[in-house]
Amino acid sequence: MKKDIAWNTFGNIFYGFCTWVISIIVVRMGSFTDAGYLSIAMSTASTWSAVALFAMRNYQITDVEHEYTDSQYVSSRVISCIAAYVILVFAAFMSGSVYQALCIIAFMPVRLSEAYSDVFHGIDQMNDRYDLIGKSFVFRGLATLLIFIVGFRLSDNLLLMLLIIAIVDFAISIIWDYGKTSGITTIRLHLKDSHIFRLFLTCLPLMLYTLFFNLINNMARTILQQMKGTELQGIYSSISNPVLVVQVMATTVFAVFLPGLAHMLEEKDYGGFRKRLLQIFAAYAGLSALVIILAQLLGKWVLVLLLGDEILAHYDIFMPVIIVTLLNGFVSVMQAVLVALRRQWTLSIGMAAVFAVFMCIVHPGISHWGVNGTSYVQSIVYVIYIIFALIVTAISARKS
């Protein structure tokens, strides 16, 4: 288990680190305006990648009775990726400018390659081959980072770099992820399999949850860009991007324990389930406290090192970003717990309601608090959702 956690955690954190470095490089080699365009491209693509992923990973890795075959999971992912890209092309041109739309369309295949690889990673995880997952993320991270550094230095063209990275990432998905996982299990595409439609219906509430969850972050940044400009939005994103490593690490580490929760429920070990939940919550609380302390001690030094002295004029953005990122990570943990409890529609309806609250308060929040309104408003709705999820979990665990 320790080796599995190490591989899975290292690979995800390394890939997240490389993605984060790109967001720093675009500031150093370009400008905060470039960072703003890149941020919106990433967040918009991430939002609609919810359709590509269809929130199947947690369901897939907790499918201990093998209700669906590996081939059906892979086939469904091919269909959902195609659908996601078609939807995004239309959505991209509502982003505010043609250049922003082109950046979004160019970056989306990067997220689609991640979604395509994700279904193979689910198979790897079910077969305890976390090493394949870790190596996949390492290869992808190295390729993405090196190509962006060299290419952006030579071309100073953000749009061109996004296109090239997308091609390379898809090549890694096909050569490594498909190639290695097909050696573990037999994979055949069955795009007209009726079971796939049932699988989509099964995961529909999870997809809707993820879509609304991602829309909160995407709309926060998009509305900030519209109200305060691309440059200020780029500054906000540049400060928030380093913190995403914490979120990736937290959700990656705790994801390893989810199949165990599903097995406990399958074996009707409800006492063990409740005990494990308390351990996970305590561990996340400890991680959060550590992150806050380190942020207070090292925050200014790290931001100056990465972004230059001029970023100190906006240092007040940093701690609210830390808080909202930690809350975001805990929402993801609670989502996984509710999936293990098979409360898919409950978590979906809850997130839809929270998104409605967010849309009601985001404009006045940014008007009142300025840039920090983006973090404050997200924090408010995340706390509401966490309370809701904890109540549902407590009721479900007590009934069990």
Side-chain angles (χ1 to χ4, degrees):
M1 178 62 73
K2 290 181 179 178
K3 181 180 179 181
D4 290 345
I5 294 174
W7 263 116
N8 195 43
T9 303
F10 175 75
N12 276 272
I13 292 177
F14 182 79
Y15 181 61
F17 172 77
C18 291
T19 303
W20 161 71
V21 170
I22 287 175
S23 68
I24 301 299
I25 290 172
V26 76
V27 175
R28 290 295 195 176
M29 293 185 176
S31 64
F32 283 118
T33 300
D34 288 326
Y37 283 124
L38 179 61
S39 172
I40 295 297
M42 286 182 168
S43 63
T44 304
S46 296
T47 296
W48 294 105
S49 69
V51 177
L53 290 165
F54 226 85
M56 281 185 193
R57 178 66 176 275
N58 285 335
Y59 193 92
Q60 181 186 11
I61 63 177
T62 56
D63 186 7
V64 293
E65 295 184 340
H66 301 288
E67 183 179 1
Y68 299 98
T69 67
D70 293 332
S71 293
Q72 287 167 342
Y73 280 113
V74 173
S75 299
S76 68
R77 188 55 51 86
V78 172
I79 295 172
S80 62
C81 282
I82 294 173
Y85 197 62
V86 172
I87 294 171
L88 176 121
V89 169
F90 287 100
F93 286 99
M94 300 175 64
S95 61
S97 72
V98 174
Y99 183 75
Q100 181 70 83
L102 292 176
C103 287
I104 294 170
I105 292 171
F107 186 77
M108 183 60 177
V110 174
R111 291 290 180 251
L112 293 181
S113 71
E114 294 170 1
Y116 182 68
S117 295
D118 176 78
V119 72
F120 298 114
H121 293 171
I123 298 172
D124 297 338
Q125 185 172 352
M126 291 295 284
N127 288 275
D128 294 325
R129 291 301 307 272
Y130 290 84
D131 59 315
L132 297 180
I133 302 174
K135 291 173 184 176
S136 172
F137 280 117
V138 169
F139 295 151
R140 189 185 301 270
L142 281 174
T144 300
L145 182 58
L146 292 176
I147 289 172
F148 191 88
I149 291 175
V150 175
F152 199 70
R153 169 73 69 179
L154 295 175
S155 68
D156 193 28
N157 190 319
L158 177 63
L159 180 58
L160 176 62
M161 287 305 97
L162 296 180
L163 287 169
I164 295 175
I165 289 172
I167 294 171
V168 172
D169 278 12
F170 252 114
I172 293 173
S173 295
I174 295 171
I175 295 172
W176 178 264
D177 294 306
Y178 171 77
K180 291 295 182 180
T181 306
S182 61
I184 298 175
T185 184
T186 300
I187 299 173
R188 294 187 178 89
L189 291 182
H190 303 288
L191 302 182
K192 295 183 179 180
D193 190 337
S194 61
H195 289 85
I196 295 177
F197 180 71
R198 190 177 70 181
L199 176 59
F200 278 131
L201 287 179
T202 300
C203 293
L204 177 62
L206 300 179
M207 187 279 288
L208 292 174
Y209 160 87
T210 307
L211 181 61
F212 286 121
F213 184 38
N214 290 346
L215 274 171
I216 290 175
N217 179 62
N218 176 237
M219 293 305 298
R221 298 191 179 209
T222 301
I223 292 171
L224 176 62
Q225 182 188 48
Q226 293 171 350
M227 294 180 68
K228 301 295 182 179
T230 301
E231 182 177 1
L232 195 54
Q233 193 279 131
I235 292 171
Y236 176 87
S237 299
S238 299
I239 292 175
S240 62
N241 284 332
V243 187
L244 295 179
V245 175
V246 176
Q247 181 183 327
V248 171
M249 180 179 69
T251 54
T252 300
V253 169
F254 293 114
V256 175
F257 298 98
L258 297 180
L261 291 176
H263 280 292
M264 288 177 183
L265 291 173
E266 180 67 23
E267 297 170 1
K268 302 187 184 304
D269 181 11
Y270 303 122
F273 176 82
R274 289 189 287 268
K275 182 179 179 180
R276 180 60 58 84
L277 275 184
L278 291 176
Q279 291 172 342
I280 291 174
F281 294 161
Y284 198 90
L287 173 65
S288 299
L290 178 62
V291 168
I292 291 172
I293 292 171
L294 291 176
Q296 289 281 12
L297 294 175
L298 304 175
K300 287 186 178 181
W301 177 78
V302 171
L303 288 178
V304 170
L305 177 66
L306 297 174
L307 301 172
D309 292 332
E310 65 271 19
I311 203 65
L312 289 180
H314 305 278
Y315 180 71
D316 62 312
I317 297 174
F318 184 60
M319 288 309 299
V321 163
I322 291 284
I323 300 301
V324 74
T325 302
L326 290 171
L327 290 172
N328 183 296
F330 193 67
V331 168
S332 296
V333 172
M334 291 308 305
Q335 179 259 355
V337 171
L338 291 179
V339 168
L341 288 166
R342 293 300 185 249
R343 297 292 187 268
Q344 293 95 318
W345 279 111
T346 301
L347 66 91
S348 175
I349 293 171
M351 187 53 70
V354 162
F355 175 72
V357 173
F358 167 80
M359 290 303 295
C360 291
I361 64 176
V362 61
H363 282 92
I366 294 176
S367 295
H368 181 70
W369 289 304
V371 178
N372 277 334
T374 307
S375 296
Y376 293 155
V377 170
Q378 288 182 85
S379 295
I380 290 170
V381 296
Y382 288 155
V383 168
I384 293 173
Y385 189 83
I386 288 170
I387 294 172
F388 164 78
L390 287 172
I391 291 173
V392 172
T393 300
I395 293 174
S396 301
R398 188 180 299 117
K399 287 182 178 180
S400 301

